[in-house]
Amino acid sequence: MDVAKSVDGSTPVDLGLFGPGSVSWRVHGNLLLAVGGLRALFLQALHPRAMAGVAQNSDFRTDPWGRLYRTGDYVATVTFGTSDEARRAGAKVRGIHRRLRGHDPYSGAEFRVDEPELLRWTHVCEVESFVSTARRGGVRLTDADVDRYYTEQLRAAELVGLDPGTVPASAAEIAEYYAAMQPRLALTRDAAAAAAFLFWPTMPRGLGYTPARGGWMGIAAVAFGLLPGWARRRYGGLGLPVGDLGASLAARSLQLAAGALPERYRHSPRVRDGLQRARLAGHDPRL
């Protein structure tokens, strides 16, 4: 927990689990986080059990925008909320996961959605997608910053029920983790359907056949293009390095466009609340 006094020294200010000096604030306070979140969904779907758990328990097909909003709000709360808000959000997620069960797509065996392997896969896909998308979009992060980010995010892993000692906490450890996990990954029917849905979701009322759908498909294409080559090949793509350059240029264009927006459009209310508390404590975060 990061606690500071207000500028006048009279009131303690809870700056949350990370605080304005963290790499997590720099990465999660960027609109490219949404693109990174989509990239994470493409990756997560390649784990047969993780995908089965989502397909059998989630409302992502009937309420995709609500699910995306709730996921984004959770990440914003954990990162920019107070320590108490973050812990309560984590407890709520643990409570939901504790009740859910799925059935293995191959054996039919029942499994718990909160199995450590599934939680770890979900966490690693998220944080690696968030930081790699930010970096490729032009956010200036050194190798040391990236490792620090992964270490900071052990707090988020603990919130969902993981033992931090079992979670990769550096770029090298995550590369090793991905290499070890690849034999367990597959493009199941559920994964293929989920990927198709990410490109062509049910649009909010009135936006079904408007330029908004084309814009969404473009963002989804950027997210898919930012996947590592081995993941794109799992989906039947070529996964050639030349594709990485195009995806990086597209991400950078999105970052430049987002950076021109006023703060009220760049950041959600939860992020703005965190920034306000930081300024009350004498910080001036530039996100």
Side-chain angles (χ1 to χ4, degrees):
M1 181 174 67
D2 190 347
V3 177
K5 287 189 175 182
S6 59
V7 174
D8 62 11
S10 62
T11 309
V13 180
D14 184 345
L15 297 175
L17 299 183
F18 303 101
S22 67
V23 183
S24 294
W25 271 41
R26 292 167 58 194
V27 172
H28 294 186
N30 192 291
L31 273 181
L32 280 178
L33 190 76
V35 180
L38 277 176
R39 179 190 186 273
L41 292 176
F42 282 117
L43 266 183
Q44 290 163 355
L46 290 173
H47 191 299
R49 276 202 172 189
M51 185 64 242
V54 171
Q56 295 165 24
N57 291 285
S58 173
D59 61 353
F60 79 96
R61 289 187 182 280
T62 57
D63 185 25
W65 304 102
R67 178 174 171 78
L68 287 174
Y69 170 80
R70 289 188 294 273
T71 300
D73 188 59
Y74 174 79
V75 173
T77 300
V78 169
T79 309
F80 294 96
T82 65
S83 303
D84 184 58
E85 288 171 339
R87 293 190 182 101
R88 282 191 278 115
K92 182 177 180 180
V93 167
R94 292 196 307 275
I96 293 171
H97 287 170
R98 193 178 299 122
R99 299 190 298 269
L100 300 181
R101 302 291 185 272
H103 289 87
D104 188 280
Y106 299 120
S107 69
E110 185 178 86
F111 64 88
R112 293 174 58 109
V113 168
D114 61 356
E115 286 181 356
E117 177 180 323
L118 304 185
L119 294 177
R120 187 161 44 248
W121 173 251
T122 300
H123 170 82
V124 170
C125 289
E126 284 183 356
V127 296
E128 188 272 329
S129 290
F130 290 159
V131 76
S132 66
T133 299
R135 208 176 192 188
R136 291 173 68 178
V139 178
R140 294 183 179 179
L141 298 168
T142 65
D143 291 345
D145 288 335
V146 172
D147 283 346
R148 181 181 164 199
Y149 169 76
Y150 288 138
T151 301
E152 290 173 359
Q153 286 300 305
L154 292 178
R155 301 169 201 168
E158 189 172 17
L159 282 182
V160 297
L162 282 164
D163 174 357
T166 68
V167 179
S170 70
E173 289 179 3
I174 283 183
E176 291 174 3
Y177 172 78
Y178 275 155
M181 288 298 295
Q182 285 185 46
R184 308 184 195 183
L185 307 181
L187 182 63
T188 62
R189 181 177 299 178
D190 282 337
F197 189 78
L198 288 175
F199 277 105
W200 192 266
T202 304
M203 297 295 289
R205 182 174 298 179
L207 296 178
Y209 293 95
T210 68
R213 180 176 289 282
W216 174 264
M217 291 180 68
I219 292 172
V222 174
F224 186 86
L226 291 170
L227 289 170
W230 57 262
R232 298 200 303 273
R233 287 190 291 273
R234 289 278 184 176
Y235 279 106
L238 296 177
L240 298 175
V242 67
D244 295 335
L245 177 60
S248 295
L249 290 174
R252 186 156 298 203
S253 296
L254 289 174
Q255 164 70 356
L256 289 173
L261 296 173
E263 184 177 289
R264 67 181 180 277
Y265 297 123
R266 291 202 314 273
H267 304 308
S268 71
R270 289 198 187 274
V271 176
R272 293 200 300 271
D273 285 348
L275 293 174
Q276 181 59 33
R277 289 197 309 277
R279 290 165 185 149
L280 184 63
H283 298 277
D284 186 21
R286 305 281 183 170
L287 303 181

